[in-house]
Amino acid sequence: MEIKFEKAMTRLEQIVDELERGELDIDKSLKIFEEGIKMSRVCSKKLNEAEKKIEKLTRNQTGEMVSELFPTDSDDDQKDDPTE
């Protein structure tokens, strides 16, 4: 079964919280640390896959990479600003 990015990230955050509290014994700490490493690898793999898809989608017709910035909410705010 493949773990979704969001689920892996949520679990990784929970693991970090548990480890930071320092209330676990060494065996439990090691066990969830190992799980955290797995979740970190899942997240990294998913981000790399997304980056490759974006890269593939942003190649122009001649196969060259085209750099485009994704619009952000702050970009929209500036467009609506009548002072600019």
Side-chain angles (χ1 to χ4, degrees):
M1 181 177 89
E2 191 170 329
I3 301 171
K4 300 268 187 200
F5 175 83
E6 292 80 7
K7 192 169 196 163
M9 184 60 98
T10 299
R11 181 60 186 139
L12 186 55
E13 290 170 351
Q14 292 168 347
I15 289 168
V16 169
D17 288 342
E18 288 181 51
L19 290 172
E20 284 180 341
R21 277 191 232 115
E23 299 171 356
L24 302 173
D25 63 38
I26 190 72
D27 291 330
K28 178 69 174 167
S29 293
L30 286 172
K31 184 176 179 176
I32 68 168
F33 179 80
E34 288 176 12
E35 183 185 356
I37 295 296
K38 289 177 186 177
M39 295 300 106
S40 174
R41 288 181 179 153
V42 167
C43 291
S44 181
K45 179 182 174 197
K46 296 289 185 184
L47 290 173
N48 286 334
E49 288 171 358
E51 183 179 5
K52 287 177 184 175
K53 284 181 185 178
I54 291 169
E55 181 179 307
K56 187 175 182 179
L57 293 172
T58 56
R59 288 189 185 273
N60 67 15
Q61 294 172 344
T62 61
E64 295 176 39
M65 286 298 296
V66 178
S67 294
E68 295 181 18
L69 295 176
F70 290 102
T72 63
D73 291 339
S74 62
D75 291 341
D76 293 338
D77 293 341
Q78 290 175 357
K79 289 179 185 174
D80 296 336
D81 187 356
T83 60
E84 291 188 23

